Amino acid sequence: MYFSGQHGKMKIITAAGTLGAETTVGRLKNWSYTTQQQTLDTTSLQDTDKTIIAGVRSASGQASLLYYSEATSNVAQVGGYLIKPGSKQYDTQNYGVNTPPELCRIELSIQDGGEIGVYAFITSFAMTCSVGEIVSADISFDVHGAPYEWTF
């Protein structure tokens, strides 16, 4: 069975949120997930061929949203984990000391095709408004630890 973009879904909630209570991010254009495995070089002076061992594994991802304005806006759902409004009092000694970004739980899935569940920090949020196009937002995230779910 083949799948297309219409089968994709993204859910998000704070890391401390109840499992199964994630909010589906609506008007999702695409998502991607990448895992990398670093290697450590173990080649010594007398070796004629390079040798390696496994190093640290890491993962990251991205998603693109088409902005819509409703009570549960997708941009507010996703951007809120990174963007934390601060004080308007720029001339105080505590200016710049605000609520830090939140670790969140992200689930990326393909209907009837599998799911990835990870804990992550939203690391980038870019919103674009162009003439003749729907307003969109792109997010990137870095994964914290190994996936807690992988059913592909």
Side-chain angles (χ1 to χ4, degrees), residues 84-111:
K84 302 290 184 183
S87 171
K88 292 182 181 179
Q89 302 298 320
Y90 66 88
D91 56 353
T92 67
Q93 77 179 46
N94 290 330
Y95 187 73
V97 179
N98 299 299
T99 306
E102 294 178 67
L103 183 67
C104 57
R105 191 169 58 236
I106 296 174
E107 292 180 358
L108 305 170
S109 64
I110 297 173
Q111 180 183 337

Side-chain angles (χ1 to χ4, degrees), residues 8-78:
K9 207 185 303 184
M10 178 180 175
K11 295 180 180 179
I12 193 165
I13 194 170
T14 64
T18 306
L19 274 173
E22 297 85 2
T23 303
T24 299
V25 177
R27 311 300 191 270
L28 193 65
K29 189 174 178 182
N30 63 53
W31 61 256
S32 67
Y33 177 82
T34 305
T35 300
Q36 302 90 22
Q37 172 69 56
Q38 293 180 357
T39 58
L40 304 173
D41 190 344
T42 58
T43 310
S44 59
L45 291 176
Q46 72 276 7
D47 292 341
T48 57
D49 297 297
K50 182 177 179 174
T51 58
I52 57 173
I53 60 171
V56 176
R57 185 177 55 188
S58 63
S60 60
Q62 74 83 34
S64 295
L65 323 165
L66 298 175
Y67 176 68
Y68 70 100
S69 181
E70 293 178 5
T72 56
S73 162
N74 58 356
V75 169
Q77 288 172 353
V78 175

